[in-house]
Amino acid sequence: MSEPTHHEKSHGSQHIVPLKVYFAVFAALMVLTATTVCVAYVNLDWLNLPVALAIAITKATLVILFFMHVKYSGHMVKVYVVAGVLFLIIMIGITLSDYMTRGWISVPRGWQ
Amino acid sequence: MSTSNPSPNDRRQHYLNAAYGLRSWLLTVDHKRIALLYLGSITFFFFIGGSFAVMIRMNLLTPDGSFLQAETYNKFFTMHGLVMIFFFLIPSIPAVLGNFLIPMMVGAKDLAFPRLNLLSWYLYIIGGVMALSAAALGGVDTGWTFYTPYSSTYSNGNVVIMGVGAFVAGFSSILTGLNFIVTIHKMRCPGLTWFRLPLFVWAMYATSVIQILGTPVIAITLLLLAAERIFHVGIFDPRIGGDPVLFQHFFWFYSHPAVYIMILPAMGVISELVATFSRKRIFGYNLVAFSSVAIAMLSFLVWGHHLFVSGQSIYAGLVFSVLSFMVAIPSAIKVFNWTATFYRGSISYDTPMMYCFGFIGLFTMGGVTGLLLASLAVDVHLHDTYFVIAHFHYIMVGGAVMGYLGGMHFWWPKITGRMYPEIWARFAAVIIFVGFNLTFFPQFMLGYLGMPRRYHAYPAEFQVLNVMSTAGASILGLGYLIPMIYFIWSMRYGKPAPPNPWGATGLEWRTPSPPPTENFEEIPVVTEEAYDFEALARRDAAALRNEGELQNG
Ligand SMILES: [Cu+2]
């Protein structure tokens, strides 16, 4: 706390990522996109949505970690990335607390 | 040029006389000059937004609302809200005072990304021009909230222009917040630890966090709105599988925290004023600092209190009601700590302090009436009435604008190197306080009696209170013109300001007024806590002794 600047500097964005990594990530993203398209032709019933979301989240994670260099960034950047995801979860989670509970208290008769 | 009083400032090189000409302003990367660009532009928008308010109040002078047609009235209150919120209140303290002060308060030469800072201003101007052209092309009548289906099924093309304008201005806000966060993390001068920072910096940090976490959501929401209008993707329209209440969820996820983008910086200003004009360290510095962060976090958990009567589930309403009550805690911590600081302080009543007292009283009223609105059952009665209007104007005008004006008076000598006329300034502060209360207190009563907002006509029994409100608005308008006039006057004719006219403790007061382009002649080193008035007195005494020795020796 009393040495505010020095140790943060050492993990700057100077890290050089080999091209190989970028191509690997790109290939993975392409494969996942193809998977999404293929899965769309198979009816998995209630699993449709979770599977599509899982693939999307995996892709987003790859982009954030490698293309956006978060994997090689300092703690502060990581904290902010986590905060962003956390607030997305809060937004969706609390919004769902409305949609999931609309049926809990019934509307008076004659209103429906 | 020849009539102005020659002063020592005129000979010294500083950020104002470092370069001349339009180019030197429009292409500047000096945070102080960019702050002045913002000052000019937000003042312009303030008076635009204000003139819409004048029209609204004129119309409500008589029950039949004969001054404006109903449709025109709808467009005017929409423009009033949009301009005041997106183009005045949100940029006000952060973009003007924050821009000017944060680098100086942390002892840096500039913000972390000076060019990005200039880009923010241009984005703001582009957004503003789009908003004004939407108004000129025929206006928008959705209310500043853009609720669907007003903004989708029943709207015209101007909504898209206006929405994109707000979207672009939002990016200005995001980039400013980003700039501040990086500056505060990375550019503090030697010895300036987090807990030695002025509370204004803490407040601005918390504000910036809201700006970068919240603003993207409104931007995406406006894009979704555009996607639905243009590509007919069912998001908010029930006929194609959407849900209009979802728009309200997304909108308020940003727009409730946006209230804190407006009020937190004002709270930061008030902390500076309370300490300086009581000549005491803020009581409970850490609590006040953390309450800013707590407000920023909690502000994201309460948005549903705008949806109590919108068809949101009762359970969600309950949760949001409880969470809304919790935001009162950090806000109350601040108010109690400020008032505790006054205890045994050596209080002086300069103009900034008068705004500060105004803020504390009016913000408290605005906050407490917010608790009434956060109560589920009471809100069913008060929702969408003038009670809500009065409540948020007590926060936005009584709080944020009072804080902004207090801060402008406090730092004006630093910004321009000139003092404003104290007598006029105190007079204007009183006029504004009186005008404000006369405008908005009757609206609490109107709302309680059941007068709904956003109607251009009303039953005759509400006229007396409406006339009072309009009378107050004209006093308030006059009150805002006076500072405008004497501020401009003082730039040329005001008394030259010393480096530290108020005997305040921050780093910004250790450099000449107006500051040199690089802010400090040498990089400052901080060896004491914030608001250490004893250390300040010791330093001043030492400086005097040195001067004496120099003269004697
Ligand atoms: Cu709210």
Side-chain angles (χ1 to χ4, degrees):
Chain A
M1 208 167 288
S2 52
E3 291 299 327
T5 48
H6 293 271
H7 72 278
E8 290 176 3
K9 248 175 207 158
S10 53
H11 334 237
S13 51
Q14 320 304 344
H15 192 275
I16 294 163
V17 187
L19 272 182
K20 223 168 50 190
V21 175
Y22 284 131
F23 284 121
V25 173
F26 181 72
L29 288 174
M30 283 299 133
V31 170
L32 285 168
T33 308
T35 318
T36 310
V37 175
C38 297
V39 167
Y41 289 101
V42 187
N43 190 357
L44 300 172
D45 201 29
W46 63 271
L47 273 171
N48 280 332
L49 189 65
V51 168
L53 277 177
I55 298 175
I57 290 171
T58 315
K59 283 162 72 179
T61 312
L62 286 175
V63 170
I64 292 168
L65 284 181
F66 294 97
F67 288 176
M68 294 172 78
H69 279 224
V70 171
K71 188 172 188 291
Y72 317 106
S73 301
H75 297 301
M76 207 56 224
V77 175
K78 289 196 176 106
V79 166
Y80 265 87
V81 171
V82 171
V85 175
L86 196 72
F87 275 82
L88 185 69
I89 293 172
I90 288 175
M91 184 178 88
I92 295 172
I94 309 188
T95 302
L96 284 177
S97 85
D98 168 18
Y99 287 94
M100 307 307 257
T101 60
R102 290 230 178 132
W104 281 14
I105 294 172
S106 60
V107 177
R109 239 180 301 154
W111 280 49
Q112 272 167 328
Chain B
M1 275 293 136
S2 57
T3 50
S4 66
N5 309 328
S7 72
N9 293 333
D10 289 341
R11 290 189 291 275
R12 192 174 54 80
Q13 178 98 139
H14 51 73
Y15 81 102
L16 290 169
N17 67 11
Y20 292 98
L22 198 59
R23 232 183 108 86
S24 77
W25 283 92
L26 292 182
L27 295 178
T28 183
V29 287
D30 182 346
H31 66 100
K32 301 183 285 302
R33 286 188 162 220
I34 294 171
L36 290 189
L37 291 177
Y38 269 114
L39 175 62
S41 23
I42 69 159
T43 308
F44 169 75
F45 278 105
F46 179 73
F47 281 98
I48 298 262
S51 52
F52 285 115
V54 168
M55 301 292 184
I56 294 170
R57 284 315 322 164
M58 287 286 284
N59 183 71
L60 294 176
L61 209 47
T62 53
D64 56 353
S66 49
F67 185 68
L68 299 173
Q69 286 181 319
E71 291 76 23
T72 319
Y73 182 81
N74 291 350
K75 288 173 183 170
F76 280 15
F77 73 66
T78 301
M79 283 308 292
H80 169 67
L82 281 167
V83 168
M84 285 302 201
I85 287 173
F86 290 113
F87 299 101
F88 172 70
L89 279 165
I90 287 184
S92 63
I93 296 180
V96 178
L97 293 173
N99 237 330
F100 194 95
L101 293 166
I102 284 178
M104 305 187 74
M105 283 181 165
V106 303
K109 284 184 183 162
D110 206 317
L111 286 173
F113 309 113
R115 279 162 217 277
L116 195 66
N117 196 19
L118 184 63
L119 175 70
S120 311
W121 182 73
Y122 277 104
L123 287 175
Y124 165 80
I125 291 295
I126 294 170
V129 168
M130 294 187 75
L132 291 182
S133 41
L137 289 171
V140 177
D141 62 357
T142 58
W144 80 277
T145 47
F146 292 116
Y147 270 14
T148 49
Y150 302 133
S151 57
S152 50
T153 316
Y154 302 109
S155 71
N156 53 35
N158 297 328
V159 172
V160 177
I161 306 179
M162 182 59 88
V164 177
F167 178 86
V168 173
F171 273 90
S172 157
S173 181
I174 294 171
L175 297 179
T176 304
L178 181 72
N179 224 336
F180 288 174
I181 286 177
V182 177
T183 306
I184 297 169
H185 270 287
K186 292 289 192 184
M187 297 177 68
R188 282 170 286 125
C189 68
L192 188 55
T193 57
W194 279 91
F195 290 96
R196 286 178 176 178
L197 285 171
L199 288 165
F200 179 75
V201 178
W202 274 94
M204 285 307 311
Y205 186 87
T207 309
S208 304
V209 170
I210 303 178
Q211 282 175 311
I212 62 167
L213 287 178
T215 320
V217 176
I218 187 82
I220 292 165
T221 307
L222 293 173
L223 280 188
L224 288 175
L225 198 61
E228 182 175 272
R229 282 181 62 107
I230 300 165
F231 305 114
H232 303 284
V233 187
I235 298 160
F236 306 123
D237 185 350
R239 281 174 313 183
I240 44 178
D243 175 28
V245 178
L246 185 66
F247 180 87
Q248 300 186 20
H249 275 296
F250 286 175
F251 179 84
W252 288 110
F253 182 81
Y254 163 74
S255 293
H256 184 82
V259 172
Y260 293 93
I261 297 181
M262 306 177 220
I263 198 71
L264 267 173
M267 291 170 155
V269 169
I270 296 307
S271 296
E272 300 298 309
L273 299 183
V274 166
T276 303
F277 294 100
S278 312
R279 311 213 62 73
K280 267 180 74 186
R281 182 175 161 81
I282 288 280
F283 179 81
Y285 170 97
N286 290 14
L287 266 179
V288 177
F290 281 124
S291 64
S292 288
V293 181
I295 287 176
M297 295 301 128
L298 284 173
S299 74
F300 279 101
L301 308 178
V302 301
W303 76 84
H305 59 220
H306 298 269
L307 284 71
F308 286 162
V309 297
S310 300
Q312 173 181 252
S313 83
I314 307 275
Y315 167 78
L318 206 72
V319 171
F320 279 122
S321 176
V322 171
L323 290 169
S324 301
F325 271 80
M326 278 168 54
V327 191
I329 297 169
S331 310
I333 286 178
K334 281 188 191 284
V335 172
F336 284 126
N337 281 301
W338 290 325
T339 43
T341 310
F342 293 143
Y343 180 67
R344 295 205 162 170
S346 158
I347 296 175
S348 50
Y349 297 88
D350 299 278
T351 312
M353 190 58 155
M354 296 183 69
Y355 282 108
C356 171
F357 286 138
F359 175 98
I360 294 177
L362 299 178
F363 172 74
T364 304
M365 278 188 70
V368 170
T369 51
L371 290 180
L372 296 183
L373 292 169
S375 320
L376 276 172
V378 183
D379 185 65
V380 173
H381 175 65
L382 295 176
H383 185 85
D384 264 354
T385 67
Y386 266 84
F387 194 90
V388 178
I389 308 291
H391 154 70
F392 72 68
H393 280 88
Y394 265 75
I395 300 286
M396 305 282 79
V397 185
V401 178
M402 288 279 175
Y404 172 67
L405 286 174
M408 280 312 293
H409 284 84
F410 185 54
W411 283 292
W412 187 254
K414 182 56 62 187
I415 294 172
T416 61
R418 301 279 182 170
M419 302 300 290
Y420 54 82
E422 181 67 26
I423 302 292
W424 277 102
R426 287 191 199 189
F427 173 69
V430 173
I431 293 283
I432 289 175
F433 184 80
V434 171
F436 172 82
N437 282 294
L438 188 56
T439 311
F440 293 107
F441 197 81
Q443 297 186 4
F444 276 128
M445 293 148 85
L446 281 169
Y448 186 76
L449 295 172
M451 178 169 163
R453 67 192 288 199
R454 292 179 170 174
Y455 279 70
H456 92 301
Y458 53 84
E461 68 255 36
F462 293 142
Q463 189 173 11
V464 175
L465 289 167
N466 270 296
V467 169
M468 283 167 74
S469 183
T470 301
S474 47
I475 297 175
L476 185 61
L478 180 75
Y480 287 139
L481 283 177
I482 304 172
M484 175 87 176
I485 294 166
Y486 65 67
F487 272 148
I488 293 175
W489 176 88
S490 74
M491 285 198 271
R492 186 127 172 209
Y493 303 106
K495 255 191 341 198
N500 189 359
W502 313 115
T505 54
L507 283 178
E508 77 272 26
W509 303 107
R510 289 203 213 165
T511 188
S513 312
T517 301
E518 52 289 342
N519 292 346
F520 300 97
E521 268 132 28
E522 53 197 78
I523 297 173
V525 177
V526 177
T527 52
E528 70 222 20
E529 305 300 302
Y531 314 115
D532 189 340
F533 288 92
E534 282 163 27
L536 177 74
R538 278 199 302 276
R539 266 203 314 278
D540 284 350
L544 271 180
R545 260 201 312 281
N546 273 343
E547 227 166 75
E549 275 164 24
L550 281 176
Q551 273 162 9
N552 295 338

